[in-house]
Amino acid sequence: MGIEKALRLVKDLPRVALNNIKNSPMDQKKPHNLRRGWGKNKTHGRGHKGQGQRMTLPKLGFETGHKPFYLRVPQEYYYEGHHLKRQYPPLSLLRLQRMIDMGCLDPNEVIDISSICMTGHYHLHVDRRHYGINLTEEGAEKFSTPICIEVQWASEMTIATIERLGGVIMTRFYDPLSLIALQDPETYFKTGKPIPKCKLPPTDAVEYYSDPKFRGYLADPEKIAEERVALSQKYGYDLPDLSESDKLSLLLKRKDPRQIFFGLHPGWIVNLTEKKILKPKAEYLQEYYHS
Amino acid sequence: MELIGGILQARYCSSQNENPTEQQHEYEESTEEFKYVEKLLNNKMIPTPPQHAEYPTPSGWYPQTEEASKLPYFVHRNKFHNMPVYLLKKGPLERTKILKVDGDIQLFCEDLKNYLSMKYPSKIHYTHINEINNKVLVRGDHVGEVVEFLKEKGF
């Protein structure tokens, strides 16, 4: 709708020239204040005597002679941009096995970021640039349950341990607004906001999530199957045939790239007290959420 | 610019907010998909661990045994079904803390000290008993050894 309007404007309006341009109101320079108005006589806003009146104040940052803070503390360039970088707090395979042993996680259902956060043993803070789970290799030799798990970062060894046991691992990107809903679904539903549509990963993450080696959700499934075989040969284990397993329907469960929760579509509002789901009918909303 | 501005206002004003149609606010209700929402609601209680075929479990957890109830003292598990043994560390000061010790605490400490003396014979092992709150403090970082001792007893 807005795109058509903009194109019509570009076609109909005259050429940009000096007679139809104006600076923004913020651009106006304020004239130097000579302090000659009413009430500004005598000292002209400068007080009495001293450095303040006599224009001999020291430079900004000066600390009466000793080495000032801005010269004392060295610059550390390795910190540059650290506040903008994505972080994936680690979760070890040992911890995951412990959660399954204690009954916090059900291996007969897909293990999702929300199911791990709901155990209470793993915390995500989206305001601290946490973008998901990093499944580490610690405890790989003790891990022994076939599971279907969806994480945000996994190394080769973790992928190998899970696939050796007949499980499935996928790496999947969620943007921060979706993560707010995922890490605590109940409080998110209580806010009354619609289920968000998950955005695609940023340019520096697209490579990882479309790489079949890391089982990315944007990768070609045929190439993922090839990589499974290659990894089994690299680590020296027999790749179990998943089509023969009991849990085939579970292992094949996948989410749409725009979907956050299993079985629930973006745009829906959940009513917990009346146990209902409200689905919008307006066309523009359907267009947006299905794009 | 003013003339062009006037034309703009006439032809390109945003019409959505001016004429809201009923269609934009329509919604339909359903209860079919609510079963997926129920899976996303928080657990109110800590789940009890399921029965396993053999212990310890792959991650190294084992439950309490029935033999433990026959002893003159008893050490309960915490709410997460784990051993109540913790390390207190305040700089160089290290203490092993054991909570929830019922029964004869003096006897418990004697048995614990004998066990630790077998592992570290050259050291003297000091313990501090808090009978009111059923706590025991052992000097030093012996968390691993204390957990093994409790495992042997069956707690």
Side-chain angles (χ1 to χ4, degrees):
Chain A
M1 220 155 52
I3 298 168
E4 286 161 21
K5 190 161 125 181
L7 288 171
R8 260 186 278 145
L9 267 173
V10 168
K11 192 178 150 200
D12 295 346
L13 281 173
R15 192 184 187 134
V16 169
L18 283 172
N19 61 336
N20 50 29
I21 289 177
K22 195 167 101 169
N23 274 350
S24 72
M26 303 293 281
D27 243 356
Q28 283 170 359
K29 281 187 183 170
K30 278 188 174 169
H32 174 63
N33 191 1
L34 297 168
R35 311 191 216 198
R36 287 204 227 288
W38 181 88
K40 299 275 184 186
N41 67 333
K42 199 172 165 183
T43 54
H44 296 275
R46 285 182 151 271
H48 288 283
K49 302 184 190 179
Q51 285 178 331
Q53 195 173 37
R54 291 169 183 153
M55 278 179 64
T56 46
L57 278 168
K59 63 183 172 186
L60 189 67
F62 185 70
E63 289 178 14
T64 66
H66 66 256
K67 200 153 205 161
F69 172 81
Y70 75 95
L71 288 177
R72 210 185 255 266
V73 178
Q75 294 185 34
E76 306 281 12
Y77 290 112
Y78 53 76
Y79 266 126
E80 199 168 336
H82 78 286
H83 63 293
L84 301 168
K85 295 212 166 116
R86 290 189 297 276
Q87 295 178 31
Y88 299 95
L91 178 75
S92 63
L93 279 169
L94 181 65
R95 201 93 191 77
L96 188 67
Q97 182 64 54
R98 181 54 73 99
M99 285 185 204
I100 293 166
D101 289 341
M102 304 301 275
C104 300
L105 284 176
D106 190 5
N108 295 323
E109 293 216 26
V110 180
I111 294 174
D112 198 11
I113 186 171
S114 39
S115 38
I116 289 172
C117 288
M118 271 166 19
T119 59
H121 297 300
Y122 182 82
H123 301 282
L124 263 187
H125 300 275
V126 185
D127 54 335
R128 296 181 206 170
R129 269 83 51 210
H130 290 175
Y131 270 71
I133 298 169
N134 169 16
L135 201 56
T136 55
E137 299 150 5
E138 177 99 36
E141 66 282 351
K142 293 182 186 171
F143 196 78
S144 59
T145 29
I147 49 164
C148 181
I149 186 164
E150 191 191 72
V151 285
Q152 279 66 52
W153 199 271
S155 66
E156 213 179 44
M157 175 84 153
T158 40
I159 294 167
T161 44
I162 289 171
E163 292 188 341
R164 183 173 60 87
L165 298 159
V168 166
I169 178 165
M170 306 165 271
T171 46
R172 156 92 214 222
F173 177 82
Y174 291 112
D175 63 289
L177 289 172
S178 312
L179 281 170
I180 289 166
L182 278 160
Q183 50 111 350
D184 201 347
E186 195 172 335
T187 41
Y188 186 80
F189 292 148
K190 284 181 181 172
T191 59
K193 292 179 187 169
I195 294 169
K197 175 177 94 163
C198 185
K199 293 180 186 138
L200 291 173
T203 39
D204 49 353
V206 168
E207 214 187 292
Y208 183 87
Y209 291 106
S210 30
D211 198 350
K213 281 188 190 163
F214 300 110
R215 312 293 184 268
Y217 72 123
L218 300 171
D220 195 1
E222 286 173 9
K223 289 189 182 164
I224 288 177
E226 284 172 18
E227 287 292 338
R228 276 169 57 90
V229 174
L231 197 68
S232 67
Q233 283 170 0
K234 181 175 176 180
Y235 280 85
Y237 58 86
D238 291 323
L239 190 67
D241 194 5
L242 292 180
S243 52
E244 288 170 5
S245 81
D246 306 332
K247 295 185 185 177
L248 186 63
S249 60
L250 169 77
L251 298 173
L252 288 173
K253 258 191 173 178
R254 293 280 182 280
K255 282 185 208 170
D256 191 58
R258 296 292 195 187
Q259 196 184 10
I260 291 169
F261 300 118
F262 275 114
L264 302 173
H265 294 257
W268 293 356
I269 298 173
V270 174
N271 187 341
L272 286 173
T273 43
E274 289 174 30
K275 304 201 175 173
K276 282 186 210 165
I277 292 172
L278 313 176
K279 304 179 193 176
K281 275 190 188 171
E283 264 186 51
Y284 75 101
L285 286 172
Q286 300 274 6
E287 233 183 270
Y288 171 74
Y289 283 117
H290 287 294
S291 64
Chain B
M1 191 59 196
E2 280 171 20
L3 185 70
I4 291 159
I7 290 166
L8 281 172
Q9 271 173 24
R11 283 155 81 181
Y12 304 114
C13 62
S14 65
S15 56
Q16 199 156 10
N17 295 329
E18 281 188 21
N19 307 316
T21 52
E22 278 177 28
Q23 207 246 335
Q24 287 166 10
H25 302 298
E26 267 176 14
Y27 64 93
E28 57 175 325
E29 291 181 1
S30 90
T31 47
E32 280 173 33
E33 288 97 348
F34 199 79
K35 59 185 180 200
Y36 297 111
V37 174
E38 278 168 2
K39 287 181 190 172
L40 297 167
L41 298 178
N42 292 330
N43 276 333
K44 302 296 176 199
M45 308 290 278
I46 296 166
T48 47
Q51 287 289 321
H52 288 90
E54 54 170 19
Y55 293 106
T57 59
S59 63
W61 183 80
Y62 39 85
Q64 282 185 321
T65 59
E66 287 166 8
E67 298 161 2
S69 51
K70 294 169 190 168
L71 293 165
Y73 43 80
F74 193 82
V75 180
H76 297 269
R77 292 279 178 107
N78 66 12
K79 66 183 171 194
F80 298 107
H81 312 287
N82 291 324
M83 293 285 196
V85 184
Y86 310 98
L87 177 67
L88 276 176
K89 199 163 160 65
K90 245 179 160 181
L93 183 112
E94 285 176 339
R95 297 279 182 270
T96 310
K97 197 173 175 183
I98 308 155
L99 306 176
K100 303 177 193 286
V101 184
D102 289 349
D104 198 346
I105 298 187
Q106 304 286 346
L107 191 63
F108 173 78
C109 278
E110 274 178 40
D111 289 349
L112 183 59
K113 276 191 215 178
N114 290 335
Y115 183 87
L116 288 173
S117 308
M118 278 177 8
K119 299 236 166 174
Y120 301 97
S122 57
K123 278 188 177 180
I124 310 167
H125 299 279
Y126 299 99
T127 56
H128 172 86
I129 301 170
N130 186 344
E131 280 151 341
I132 298 163
N133 290 329
N134 297 350
K135 291 184 196 176
V136 174
L137 281 175
V138 183
R139 209 187 270 189
D141 180 3
H142 297 116
V143 172
E145 283 89 26
V146 169
V147 168
E148 273 181 46
F149 167 76
L150 291 172
K151 183 187 176 181
E152 272 181 24
K153 298 286 176 185
F155 293 119

